[in-house]
Amino acid sequence: MGKVTGFLEYERLEEGYAPVAKRVKDYKEFVIGLNEAEAKVQGARCMDCGIPFCNNGCPVNNIIPDFNDLVYRGDWHNAFRTLDSTNNFPEFTGRICPAPCEAACTLNFNDDAVGIKSIEHAIIDRAWQEGWVKPRPAKVKTGKKVAVVGSGPAGMAAAQQLARAGHDVTVFEKNDRIGGLLRYGIPDFKMEKSHIDRRVEQMRAEGVVFREGVMVGHLPEGSKVTNWAKEIISPEALKEQFDAVVLTGGAEQPRDLPVPGRDLEGIHFAMEFLPQQNKVNAGDKVKNQLRAEGKHVIVIGGGDTGSDCVGTSNRHGAASVTQFELLPMPPEQENKPLVWPYWPIKLRTSSSHEEGCEREFAIATKEFIGGEGKDKGKVKSLKAVRVEWQGNKMVEVPGSEQILKADLVLLAMGFVSPVVSILDAFGVDKDARGNAKAGTEFIGGYQTNVPKVFAAGDMRRGQSLVVWAIREGRQAARAVDEFLMGASDLPR
């Protein structure tokens, strides 16, 4: 694969970034992708390693050595065809996937991994520029109708695959635009929403019907339709109108922090904060938008969602941004012989961190403290304490309590489950974590206990990566196709 001695001759080349001072002034993407010559060199680094662990490291099983080799040889069209055969939306993963394939790269065992993600990014961007990404409507229609509930990456992948198999697919989305977490959870500076829009247009040309502003489920007695949903459809109506239903909503139930002072004004979940800015970027007017300018912001949670809050706060013009992580600071370099080819625990510094952020590890929040006078009822600081981990038990460090300024606190500690009400409305059994209970068996996979109702993505597996959602959407589509037709030619 690639150049036989390429990995000995060439070093890994990272994608570039626009300067911090420039990029924090707007919400546009700022990654500078590889040009053709740079991508060719990176493709040349792919080893003829015999067993490409990268394929299994990638949840959608991208055929990575093949498209690396094709890029090295200048055959970009076939590189795109290879990538497109396993991944419906490489422009999403090429921008926001953490690249578990690179952790599994054989070269990564004792050197820097091949820049697989940057090559994927280059391939799909060129494919769009060259006009290679075209609708592929089914030549023969089956007459079967499928409802997909949720339009995130799992729902979009399932819908596209099912439409290409010849089924009539309708996607129901409770929000006003298609995309789920991609639309309202991922900041525009990481992925501009035009990438979603052009995929939606492709899928419409393939026969997929999108219905925005439609909530599936039951409203509590006496309540009215929410501000963001124009219509309510019951599970009973869906099951009556469609031959199969696929539940692909996200893990939307955030983890809370029930400490004293939690009810103070100025403490919000990350998914209250991030979607508002995305709506403003899209041209909407958001009344009383949560803003960070001039404020001392503390983000509680050290993952990607917390990092997104950091980047957005920096663009708002926050006075300071601090990010808390309960766990100890991980090592800067993983022990590769111990963890390869699996995803390693190591210190990861995002582009948002580089824009300005204090990172605090092994720290816990004990109390939110309100102000006085005109600031009464508003959070103005918090009490934190250092912690140590003794075995699996967290212990406070005596005498380590401190008070930090906090005008805005953003809770980004992950998500515990999908919204329970939709699963209850369908009567779907839940697992111990509150997710839809459905297996992934080759035959009969992704089926819930409710006849003709399937579940995939975060709704089935819990909070996860976009690339896992795409995988589950594709596999669920094959399971639905088998259920409807007795057999399926869709790839799994």
Side-chain angles (χ1 to χ4, degrees), residues 10-188:
Y10 306 121
E11 295 183 355
R12 177 184 170 98
L13 177 64
E14 300 287 351
E15 293 180 308
Y17 292 158
V20 170
K22 178 181 179 182
R23 71 189 194 227
V24 296
K25 293 180 179 179
D26 57 43
Y27 296 87
K28 298 183 183 299
E29 291 181 12
F30 53 81
V31 173
I32 302 170
L34 304 183
N35 60 35
E36 184 171 348
E38 291 168 338
K40 179 175 180 176
V41 168
Q42 286 306 293
R45 296 186 71 238
C46 187
M47 308 168 69
D48 188 6
C49 60
I51 301 176
F53 288 89
C54 56
N55 286 9
N56 288 333
C58 172
V60 293
N61 302 123
N62 278 336
I63 312 170
I64 293 164
D66 294 54
F67 69 61
N68 284 344
D69 181 59
L70 289 163
V71 166
Y72 167 65
R73 300 182 188 284
D75 191 350
W76 285 81
H77 189 228
N78 277 321
F80 161 66
R81 293 179 62 189
T82 302
L83 177 58
D84 185 62
S85 70
T86 57
N87 187 349
N88 294 68
F89 314 117
E91 64 271 39
F92 302 165
T93 52
R95 284 169 168 79
I96 60 177
C97 182
C101 54
E102 294 185 12
C105 173
T106 301
L107 186 56
N108 190 50
F109 182 78
N110 62 353
D111 199 346
D112 293 327
V114 174
I116 300 166
K117 178 179 174 181
S118 63
I119 295 172
E120 177 181 17
H121 187 179
I123 293 170
I124 188 58
D125 279 10
R126 177 157 182 172
W128 280 106
Q129 292 167 7
E130 298 286 350
W132 298 333
V133 185
K134 297 177 180 178
R136 301 209 306 267
K139 294 179 180 179
V140 179
K141 302 292 284 186
T142 66
K144 302 290 186 180
K145 298 198 299 181
V146 182
V148 175
V149 181
S151 70
M156 288 181 68
Q160 185 166 62
Q161 293 295 97
L162 287 165
R164 289 174 175 177
H167 306 304
D168 293 319
V169 182
T170 303
V171 176
F172 295 89
E173 170 56 53
K174 65 182 180 183
N175 287 309
D176 56 351
R177 294 182 178 91
I178 298 299
L181 180 68
L182 292 170
R183 174 73 66 177
Y184 287 130
I186 304 296
D188 286 22

Side-chain angles (χ1 to χ4, degrees), residues 107-331:
L107 186 56
N108 190 50
F109 182 78
N110 62 353
D111 199 346
D112 293 327
V114 174
I116 300 166
K117 178 179 174 181
S118 63
I119 295 172
E120 177 181 17
H121 187 179
I123 293 170
I124 188 58
D125 279 10
R126 177 157 182 172
W128 280 106
Q129 292 167 7
E130 298 286 350
W132 298 333
V133 185
K134 297 177 180 178
R136 301 209 306 267
K139 294 179 180 179
V140 179
K141 302 292 284 186
T142 66
K144 302 290 186 180
K145 298 198 299 181
V146 182
V148 175
V149 181
S151 70
M156 288 181 68
Q160 185 166 62
Q161 293 295 97
L162 287 165
R164 289 174 175 177
H167 306 304
D168 293 319
V169 182
T170 303
V171 176
F172 295 89
E173 170 56 53
K174 65 182 180 183
N175 287 309
D176 56 351
R177 294 182 178 91
I178 298 299
L181 180 68
L182 292 170
R183 174 73 66 177
Y184 287 130
I186 304 296
D188 286 22
F189 56 80
K190 287 177 68 174
M191 194 188 82
E192 294 177 12
K193 305 312 175 235
S194 57
H195 304 298
I196 303 173
D197 296 337
R198 62 186 179 185
R199 279 295 181 183
V200 169
E201 289 308 306
Q202 179 199 31
M203 292 170 64
R204 283 195 171 111
E206 293 172 344
V208 177
V209 175
F210 291 96
R211 294 187 60 185
E212 304 93 334
V214 180
M215 179 179 174
V216 176
H218 295 135
L219 280 180
E221 186 176 351
S223 62
K224 298 180 180 179
V225 177
T226 60
N227 292 331
W228 36 260
K230 300 177 293 186
E231 183 183 351
I232 304 292
I233 293 183
S234 70
E236 292 77 15
L238 277 192
K239 288 187 287 185
E240 181 179 341
Q241 296 171 22
F242 292 89
D243 299 295
V245 178
V246 190
L247 305 179
T248 61
E252 297 182 61
Q253 193 67 42
R255 183 173 284 107
D256 207 344
L257 186 59
V259 299
R262 172 63 181 89
D263 58 345
L264 289 169
E265 183 181 336
I267 304 169
H268 301 274
F269 290 116
M271 287 304 293
E272 295 176 84
F273 177 68
L274 295 172
Q276 289 189 356
Q277 186 57 56
N278 285 8
K279 284 178 174 290
V280 170
N281 294 344
D284 294 351
K285 292 184 178 180
V286 177
K287 188 177 180 180
N288 300 321
Q289 182 193 357
L290 298 175
R291 300 283 302 179
E293 64 257 58
K295 296 180 180 178
H296 297 284
V297 180
I298 293 184
V299 179
I300 301 178
D304 289 339
T305 303
S307 174
D308 293 344
C309 291
V310 170
T312 303
S313 297
N314 283 329
R315 282 160 178 75
H316 282 183
S320 68
V321 184
T322 305
Q323 186 176 19
F324 281 11
E325 170 55 64
L326 194 62
L327 297 173
M329 180 173 163

Side-chain angles (χ1 to χ4, degrees), residues 149 174 215-220 235 247 249-254 415-437 449-450 458-460:
V149 181
K174 65 182 180 183
M215 179 179 174
V216 176
H218 295 135
L219 280 180
L247 305 179
E252 297 182 61
Q253 193 67 42
F415 302 86
V416 296
S417 71
V419 176
V420 174
S421 60
I422 188 169
L423 298 181
D424 289 344
F426 275 92
V428 171
D429 287 345
K430 298 183 284 290
D431 64 17
R433 296 185 298 153
N435 302 318
K437 192 174 183 180
N449 61 297
V450 180
D458 286 7
M459 184 163 281
R460 191 202 69 83

